[in-house]
Amino acid sequence: MIDILFYVFAASVLISAFVMVISPNAVNCAMAMIVSFVGTAALFVLLEAYFLAILQVLVYAGAVMVLFLFIIMLLDVDKSEKSYLKDKMTLGASIIGFGLIVVLVCSAFLGGNHLPEPSLLPVMENPTGEGVGIPFTTSTKSFGYSLFTKYMLPFQVAGFLLLAAMIGVIVVSKKNEPEQG
Amino acid sequence: MDYIAILLPIAFALTMISVFMGLCSYSVLAERKVSSWIQGRVGPNRTRLPLIGHIPILGNLLTGLGIFQPAADGLKFLFKEEITPGHVNKFYYYLAPVVALAPALTTMVVLPFGRYVDPSGVVQPLVLANIEIGMLFILGISSLGVYGIVLAGWSSNSKYPFLGAIRSSAQMISYELAMGLAILPVFMWSAAPGSEHGMSLFGVIESQKTLWLVIWQPLSALIFLVAVFAETNRLPFDMAESETDLVGGFHTEYGCFKFGLFFVAEYAHVIMGSALFVCLFLGGWNFLPGLADPWSDNTFGAVLSVLWFMAKVFFMIFFFIWVRWTLPRFRYDQVMSLGWKILLPLAIGNLVFNTLLIAAYDHFAQ
């Protein structure tokens, strides 16, 4: 049962990702992207990582919503419906990406050197009220606790980067003109 | 044995969907009856089914209450001539009503609607899937509902639906933030260190045995309630379809059953919002503040707890309708400034205040 579901969701993720890349219509791209994200969330559910699955839907599907609005409001959809395969940047990027996939598939099937697998160590410090260290599981508590202890610095740095990006967007997009209406 | 393990959840899910859809159609009736009551009218009172409607006294009573009206409404939607305007994007035009309804039906999977006591004496929730992150699940899935409105507005390829869709998506993105921040203090209090429940709704309801959270966290409750009104596009916030300036809003180009799906989706969201508010702030199936659980441990007690939960949900649905026919609509810029300049700072302040309170409580209690 789980195997069949895995193949169904994996196929839908791959197909919709492919459609997203090749579709000339921007709205189709955004919809395919949503399907791809939701399919990835379903794969997380099959791994029993419910928290990650829901975050995938909540964060990424919500982000696509904003993208969607940008497409609808800012891009002129009718004029962008033309072949862009002649674009040299696109062509170069596709070739590099395809080459990377070939390398990945070859190394996966032929074996050989790969990166050392990090072992999932339990977070050792005890939270107040808990008797033992929380093992690394897929539960919400485990995520929260490791974020606020072991991975506190990366967490703060990521938050700070996002803040900088947000301020940057506001500064760039806000024009120095008197407000209208 | 293996088949039963698969068939039983399917049977439960189908039962729940049918009950839920029945509730949706009867809340449409409730809307019409309550609005007519508020406006001093009679409301639907003439639809009569052939056999039941002619039972001497009962038939007249049921007809007068408009009990058969939802059937007539549904049949009307089903048998009207189906018109598809020529200028729409067909695929998304047909997809949009489905996308609007599906999230509302999906979120009810994690909604606990009653409790029973299993043979070992442990209180268990009556719910389709008691997952640890129930609340996040509801927030995540219901945020997908906005795609239905945006797709409808965009694919209709017409000005008024487009404006409605843009307004509605801006509004939903704005109020989602305040909504999430408003319920954080609730979970910070209910999931104390050592509790097993995490972010499940069952844990929140169990934590309200002595004191309902609406008494304990009135500010959170108020912010959440306003945000739910905005997220369901109900009247003080119905920017998406404000008929005085946008004709019909995002569903201007829709007719017959496709419009019916949007209509049902709105009421499904109202029912889910009501049930969520009952779970989070009105104590779920707990009887009264201070008198938690007078239900007995057998099946009868479980049924009573479900009925009490339903009674609270019906009250909240009534409240939604009451507000709709009482308050005038906001202007669009008022909606935005209410969301960003009042609700969001209030929610953040509430969160910080509760964090400090919990820290002080932990510090002085130990």
Side-chain angles (χ1 to χ4, degrees):
Chain A
M1 184 74 180
I2 285 182
D3 284 351
I4 299 171
L5 285 178
F6 171 78
Y7 287 122
V8 169
F9 287 126
S12 69
V13 168
L14 290 179
I15 291 171
S16 54
F18 191 66
V19 169
M20 191 202 97
V21 175
I22 63 165
S23 170
N25 184 340
V27 172
N28 280 344
C29 292
M31 283 307 286
M33 202 163 160
I34 298 169
V35 174
S36 176
F37 282 143
V38 174
T40 320
L43 290 180
F44 280 135
V45 168
L46 292 183
L47 292 172
E48 298 189 354
Y50 303 112
F51 185 64
L52 270 186
I54 282 304
L55 282 195
Q56 177 86 16
V57 173
L58 195 63
V59 175
Y60 285 97
V64 179
M65 186 65 235
V66 178
L67 196 65
F68 219 109
L69 292 179
F70 269 106
I71 294 168
I72 291 174
M73 289 191 293
L74 300 180
L75 301 177
D76 199 344
V77 174
D78 294 329
K79 285 180 184 168
S80 67
E81 284 188 29
K82 54 187 175 187
S83 169
Y84 54 87
L85 279 178
K86 291 167 189 168
D87 196 339
K88 283 173 188 166
M89 289 282 280
T90 316
L91 201 60
S94 331
I95 291 173
I96 293 173
F98 187 73
L100 285 176
I101 286 183
V102 170
V103 172
L104 179 74
V105 170
C106 286
S107 63
F109 282 101
L110 301 176
N113 295 332
H114 54 80
L115 292 173
E117 291 179 4
S119 55
L120 298 174
L121 293 173
V123 183
M124 288 316 288
E125 294 95 333
N126 292 342
T128 43
E130 302 284 340
V132 290
I134 297 178
F136 190 88
T137 61
T138 55
S139 77
T140 320
K141 190 187 276 183
S142 154
F143 276 105
Y145 188 61
S146 19
L147 265 189
F148 280 98
T149 52
K150 193 175 174 184
Y151 302 106
M152 189 65 188
L153 185 65
F155 180 66
Q156 295 284 352
V157 170
F160 198 75
L161 278 179
L162 284 176
L163 179 68
M166 194 171 77
I167 293 173
V169 167
I170 292 172
V171 168
V172 168
S173 65
K174 182 113 180 162
K175 289 166 189 156
N176 275 332
E177 291 170 6
E179 287 187 9
Q180 298 172 349
Chain B
M1 198 61 207
D2 209 23
Y3 282 109
I4 289 178
I6 296 174
L7 286 181
L8 211 56
I10 294 177
F12 282 149
L14 287 179
T15 316
M16 188 141 178
I17 288 177
S18 13
V19 171
F20 197 78
M21 294 307 270
L23 276 183
C24 286
S25 55
Y26 275 94
S27 36
V28 177
L29 176 69
E31 174 103 89
R32 300 177 68 176
K33 273 295 190 186
V34 172
S35 68
S36 64
W37 178 49
I38 287 176
Q39 298 178 336
R41 296 185 280 113
V42 181
N45 65 339
R46 294 192 189 169
T47 317
R48 195 186 288 271
L49 277 190
L51 281 178
I52 314 168
H54 290 100
I55 302 169
I57 298 170
L58 188 69
N60 281 337
L61 186 68
L62 292 182
T63 308
L65 287 174
I67 295 293
F68 309 121
Q69 188 68 33
D73 286 346
L75 286 177
K76 187 196 85 174
F77 278 135
L78 205 53
F79 289 122
K80 271 169 93 167
E81 182 187 358
E82 178 152 346
I83 295 171
T84 306
H87 52 75
V88 300
N89 182 330
K90 288 265 177 8
F91 179 69
Y92 292 120
Y93 180 76
Y94 283 109
L95 186 68
V98 181
V99 175
L101 181 60
L105 294 183
T106 313
T107 46
M108 72 184 181
V109 169
V110 295
L111 183 78
F113 52 88
R115 69 108 184 86
Y116 68 100
V117 181
D118 66 1
S120 58
V122 183
V123 178
Q124 298 282 357
L126 280 168
V127 60
L128 286 180
N130 184 22
I131 57 176
E132 189 204 21
I133 46 162
M135 190 60 225
L136 276 180
F137 183 87
I138 290 181
L139 283 183
I141 301 295
S142 63
S143 71
L144 294 181
V146 67
Y147 285 108
I149 293 175
V150 170
L151 281 180
W154 180 77
S155 69
S156 292
N157 201 5
S158 144
K159 292 276 187 306
Y160 288 126
F162 183 69
L163 280 174
I166 294 291
R167 280 184 183 188
S168 148
S169 49
Q171 171 187 326
M172 279 175 133
I173 290 173
S174 318
Y175 279 77
E176 240 167 42
L177 274 176
M179 191 178 191
L181 284 174
I183 55 174
L184 264 181
V186 169
F187 285 94
M188 279 160 60
W189 280 106
S190 74
S195 84
E196 298 283 312
H197 294 302
M199 297 202 67
S200 81
L201 287 166
F202 177 58
V204 177
I205 296 177
E206 284 295 290
S207 77
Q208 298 181 61
K209 275 188 169 166
T210 48
L211 199 57
W212 291 0
L213 275 163
V214 68
I215 304 168
W216 174 227
Q217 296 283 339
L219 190 57
S220 296
L222 182 67
I223 297 171
F224 182 77
L225 191 63
V226 175
V228 165
F229 269 93
E231 293 282 309
T232 49
N233 284 319
R234 290 289 296 184
L235 192 92
F237 298 100
D238 68 340
M239 290 300 115
E241 49 175 299
S242 58
E243 64 271 4
T244 44
D245 45 342
L246 288 185
V247 187
F250 65 95
H251 53 55
T252 305
E253 305 286 340
Y254 281 83
C256 63
F257 207 67
K258 298 187 294 295
F259 170 73
L261 279 184
F262 276 123
F263 202 55
V264 171
E266 180 186 336
Y267 286 94
H269 278 117
V270 167
I271 295 174
M272 272 309 299
S274 310
L276 207 53
F277 189 79
V278 169
C279 280
L280 288 174
F281 295 104
L282 291 184
W285 50 82
N286 291 324
F287 186 57
L288 286 174
L291 183 60
D293 216 8
W295 326 122
S296 55
D297 285 356
N298 50 23
T299 318
F300 185 60
V303 173
L304 277 183
S305 76
V306 174
L307 289 180
W308 186 239
F309 182 79
M310 297 276 273
K312 286 181 182 174
V313 173
F314 290 155
F315 171 75
M316 283 309 296
I317 294 172
F318 171 74
F319 183 76
F320 267 81
I321 298 169
W322 185 15
V323 168
R324 168 168 181 183
W325 295 98
T326 307
L327 294 182
R329 179 182 297 128
F330 283 115
R331 223 170 46 217
Y332 179 64
D333 59 322
Q334 290 172 330
V335 170
M336 282 296 125
S337 69
L338 177 70
W340 288 104
K341 293 183 186 163
I342 300 176
L343 283 188
L344 191 64
L346 261 184
I348 294 175
N350 188 32
L351 177 66
V352 172
F353 174 71
N354 276 291
T355 316
L356 294 178
L357 205 63
I358 289 175
Y361 175 81
D362 280 353
H363 185 71
F364 291 114
Q366 284 168 6

